């Protein structure tokens, strides 16, 4: 009761309280609706980075293909090359043309050549400004539609030629909805089914540069082996026979640029070697 009475005293009377008693009193806090003080400014200093980007517009045939420099503040940009391209397109040059979709390394749309290496712009980090300007160009040895967009028609036709779907000889039973597969057989498809058809591997291959119309290329052959190895498929011999050709298969000289270029960490050269060994035993 005595402490309660002391709490009700006027502010002038509280000054006379003993130190021991005043230490037990709770200090008043500002009301929750009181505005909070503004946080201190923590914006990083501007860091300029130059990107030299391949430009070509089919609607301006008099202008030859060239590299155009763009400078951006990478401290105000995402960490990936695709972030830089989007920033340039949004803030500096809306005519810049490139493909992109998922931004997560799943669709393969943003495949391009970055500082001499094929890769996905959404998975390639921006190099530090100390490394100098970054050069971005289309996938090599492909017909350019515009800027960083290449014509993928031949690439997709080669993929289609290996018939990348399940083929069966036995008629489907009406009461059987699934074709089962053991875990061991399913594991044989690892390292092949993950391919996203970005064309980074094929366009890094010198053999594909020299014979793009005849040599199927690493991506198509990887998918061919994916169905050759599938235990549910019943056209294994026919698939091997269809690619047993001097150019379709044997233009691969195991240079392994494809393995280095694959953004998914796959090994197309290994799958092509597997097909060659199967051909010897067929």
């Amino acid at each position: 009761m005595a402490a309660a009475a002391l709490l009700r005293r006027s502010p002038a009377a509280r000054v006379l309280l003993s130190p021991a008693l005043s230490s037990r009193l709770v200090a008043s806090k500002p009301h929750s609706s009181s505005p909070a003080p503004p946080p201190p400014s923590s914006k990083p200093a501007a860091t300029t980075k130059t990107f030299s980007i391949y430009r070509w517009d089919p609607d301006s045939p008099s202008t030859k293909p060239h590299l155009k420099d763009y400078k951006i503040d990478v401290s105000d940009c995402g960490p990936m090359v695709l972030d830089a391209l989007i920033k340039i397109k949004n803030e500096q040059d809306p005519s810049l043309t490139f493909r992109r979709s998922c931004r997560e390394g799943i669709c393969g749309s943003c495949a391009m050549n970055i500082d001499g290496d094929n890769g996905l712009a959404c998975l390639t980090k921006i190099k530090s400004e100390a490394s100098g300007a970054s050069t971005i160009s289309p996938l090599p040895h492909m017909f350019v539609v515009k800027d960083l967009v290449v014509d993928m028609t031949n690439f997709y036709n080669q993929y289609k030629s290996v018939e990348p779907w399940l083929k069966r000889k036995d008629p489907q039973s009406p009461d059987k909805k699934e074709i089962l597969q053991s875990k061991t057989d399913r594991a044989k498809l690892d390292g092949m089914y993950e391919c996203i058809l970005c064309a980074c591997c094929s366009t890094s291959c010198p053999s594909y540069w020299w014979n793009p119309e005849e040599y199927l290329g690493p991506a198509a052959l990887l998918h061919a082996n994916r169905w050759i190895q599938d235990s549910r498929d019943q056209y294994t011999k026919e698939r091997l026979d269809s690619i047993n050709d001097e150019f379709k298969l044997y233009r691969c000289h195991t240079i392994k640029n494809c393995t280095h270029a694959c953004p998914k960490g796959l090994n197309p050269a290994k799958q092509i070697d597997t097909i060659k060994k199967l051909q010897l035993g067929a």
Side-chain angles (χ1 to χ4, degrees):
M1 291 298 291
L6 289 171
L7 288 173
R8 290 195 296 269
R9 291 182 180 180
S10 65
R14 295 178 189 173
V15 178
L16 303 177
L17 297 177
S18 65
L21 185 58
S22 62
S23 65
R24 296 168 57 188
L25 301 179
V26 179
S28 62
K29 296 182 178 179
H31 195 270
S32 59
S33 62
S34 301
S41 177
S42 58
K43 187 176 180 180
T47 305
T48 303
K49 173 77 174 179
T50 301
F51 291 87
S52 294
I53 303 177
Y54 179 98
R55 301 303 310 271
W56 180 72
D57 187 352
D59 296 328
S60 302
S62 60
T63 304
K64 295 183 179 180
H66 61 282
L67 293 176
K68 185 174 181 179
D69 289 350
Y70 297 91
K71 293 184 178 181
I72 66 169
D73 178 9
V74 292
S75 64
D76 187 32
C77 176
M80 301 301 178
V81 170
L82 182 60
D83 295 316
L85 292 174
I86 292 174
K87 184 177 179 66
I88 292 170
K89 185 176 179 68
N90 289 343
E91 300 178 4
Q92 298 186 35
D93 190 349
S95 69
L96 179 62
T97 305
F98 53 90
R99 289 190 178 110
R100 55 115 177 152
S101 184
C102 73
R103 299 181 68 170
E104 295 181 354
I106 299 298
C107 70
S109 299
C110 62
M112 55 191 70
N113 187 276
I114 304 169
D115 291 324
D117 289 326
N118 290 354
L120 300 180
C122 64
L123 296 184
T124 305
K125 290 186 177 181
I126 299 173
K127 293 183 179 180
S128 64
E129 66 281 0
S131 62
S134 287
T135 303
I136 304 175
S137 56
L139 291 174
H141 294 266
M142 299 280 274
F143 291 108
V144 176
V145 178
K146 183 180 178 181
D147 294 343
L148 301 175
V149 177
V150 297
D151 186 359
M152 302 281 282
T153 303
N154 183 59
F155 176 80
Y156 288 137
N157 285 339
Q158 290 169 327
Y159 171 64
K160 181 181 178 180
S161 71
V162 302
E163 299 183 338
W165 55 81
L166 188 66
K167 298 177 66 177
R168 301 276 295 177
K169 295 179 181 178
D170 296 339
Q172 181 73 18
S173 175
D175 58 341
K176 191 174 183 180
K177 298 181 179 179
E178 297 179 349
I179 303 172
L180 301 181
Q181 186 177 48
S182 68
K183 291 183 179 181
T184 302
D185 288 336
R186 166 59 187 81
K188 294 178 181 179
L189 308 183
D190 290 342
M192 293 182 284
Y193 79 90
E194 301 95 329
C195 174
I196 57 176
L197 295 173
C198 64
C200 283
C201 62
S202 293
T203 56
S204 71
C205 174
S207 296
Y208 192 77
W209 300 344
W210 301 327
N211 307 280
E213 288 81 20
E214 298 173 294
Y215 174 48
L216 291 180
L221 289 174
L222 178 143
H223 279 276
N225 193 46
R226 178 254 179 274
W227 293 102
I228 289 171
Q229 297 296 329
D230 197 319
S231 62
R232 300 166 296 178
D233 191 271
Q234 297 178 332
Y235 279 76
T236 301
K237 185 179 185 303
E238 291 82 354
R239 291 184 185 276
L240 288 170
D241 291 341
S242 68
I243 60 176
N244 188 16
D245 180 84
E246 179 183 357
F247 281 93
K248 287 183 179 181
L249 173 62
Y250 291 101
R251 286 302 93 184
C252 172
H253 300 302
T254 324
I255 301 172
K256 293 190 176 181
N257 277 9
C258 55
T259 302
H260 170 75
C262 180
K264 304 298 287 185
L266 307 183
N267 191 343
K270 177 183 177 182
Q271 309 308 329
I272 296 173
D273 186 59
T274 300
I275 296 176
K276 291 178 179 178
K277 291 178 180 177
L278 290 174
Q279 296 288 8
L280 293 175

